[in-house]
Amino acid sequence: MKTVNDVETLERLYGVPGKSSVLKEVDHLHPAYRPFIERSPFMVLATSGPEGLDASPRGDPAGFVVIEDARTLLLPDRRGNNRMDSLRNIVADPRVALLFFVPGVNETLRVNGRASIVIEPSLLERFTFEGKQPRSVLRIFVETVYFQCSRALIRSGLWDPARQVPRAEFPSPGSILEALSPEDFDGGEYDRELPARVKTTLY
């Protein structure tokens, strides 16, 4: 199978980026880009570490990622499954990539930078939500920012209600865990208890 193994071949295959593709990249949170972060209730955090790569979904009410200044973002780490994949990676390698989504908007925002894990009590208190503090806050030093054009989301029809998959047609968390478990696992019981568990442990 023929593959591409060097940058020169890659550039011959794809050509040079257009002027707008270069123009849109900046090294700070330009005012034109702030709405993508301020109105976003969902983003993906990508990290890299000795055990490999990780891309983790993060969500909260819009504005949960705070623009501290033109070069700094603050991201509270809400309650999860305690795997800590992203945090383990950041301890070893601070480089991070963020992808912001705004419902109904086909353009996305890409941010690259370096993160530190902050546990300063005053900062944790600042991000208290529904009476619960995050265990840590990621302080992200921004290095590059640019918007991604609409093609991917248009092709996917991500915001098109007609393309939504009925949940009943998709494997449930319990059925997945039951299929993967080497021991007896009651997937039905897990699914029955899951909605209440999520509700009481959301924060």
Side-chain angles (χ1 to χ4, degrees):
M1 184 176 294
K2 192 172 184 180
T3 61
V4 175
N5 301 300
D6 58 82
V7 175
E8 290 76 14
T9 303
L10 195 62
E11 290 178 342
R12 285 198 301 270
L13 181 65
Y14 280 89
V16 297
K19 181 179 179 180
S20 61
S21 296
V22 177
L23 177 66
K24 66 183 179 181
E25 181 178 328
V26 294
D27 64 356
H28 63 286
L29 299 166
H30 189 279
Y33 285 151
R34 293 174 67 106
F36 284 92
I37 299 171
E38 295 167 340
R39 302 290 296 276
S40 173
F42 178 81
M43 50 85 71
V44 177
L45 170 67
T47 58
S48 174
E51 297 182 5
L53 306 175
D54 184 67
S56 175
R58 302 297 172 100
D60 239 336
F64 73 103
V65 178
V66 172
I67 301 173
E68 187 75 342
D69 57 49
R71 299 295 294 271
T72 310
L73 292 173
L74 300 174
L75 168 60
D77 190 59
R78 299 297 183 194
R79 187 169 181 170
N81 55 23
N82 292 333
R83 283 180 54 103
M84 300 179 290
D85 299 292
S86 300
L87 301 180
R88 292 179 191 275
N89 281 350
I90 289 170
V91 167
D93 183 344
R95 294 177 299 169
V96 296
L98 292 74
L99 180 62
F100 289 90
F101 293 80
V102 177
V105 176
N106 285 326
E107 290 76 20
T108 55
L109 188 73
R110 299 170 65 170
V111 178
N112 298 316
R114 294 177 182 271
S116 58
I117 304 170
V118 181
I119 55 173
E120 177 64 35
S122 61
L123 190 59
L124 300 182
E125 175 65 26
R126 178 177 165 187
F127 284 94
T128 297
F129 189 78
E130 294 195 357
K132 301 291 181 64
Q133 291 184 5
R135 291 186 180 178
S136 65
V137 174
L138 294 183
R139 185 177 186 273
I140 300 162
F141 177 75
V142 173
E143 295 178 333
T144 60
V145 187
Y146 53 99
F147 78 91
Q148 182 74 28
C149 78
S150 61
R151 290 187 185 90
L153 269 68
I154 290 176
R155 288 192 292 253
S156 70
L158 184 63
W159 308 128
D160 183 358
R163 297 197 190 186
Q164 291 185 357
V165 178
R167 188 62 185 86
E169 295 181 4
F170 211 72
S172 69
S175 66
I176 294 171
L177 290 170
E178 185 173 313
L180 294 174
S181 178
E183 304 173 354
D184 289 338
F185 186 92
D186 191 335
E189 181 181 3
Y190 183 91
D191 286 335
R192 287 190 295 273
E193 296 176 349
L194 184 59
R197 185 163 60 248
V198 169
K199 185 177 180 179
T200 58
T201 62
L202 201 56
Y203 295 95

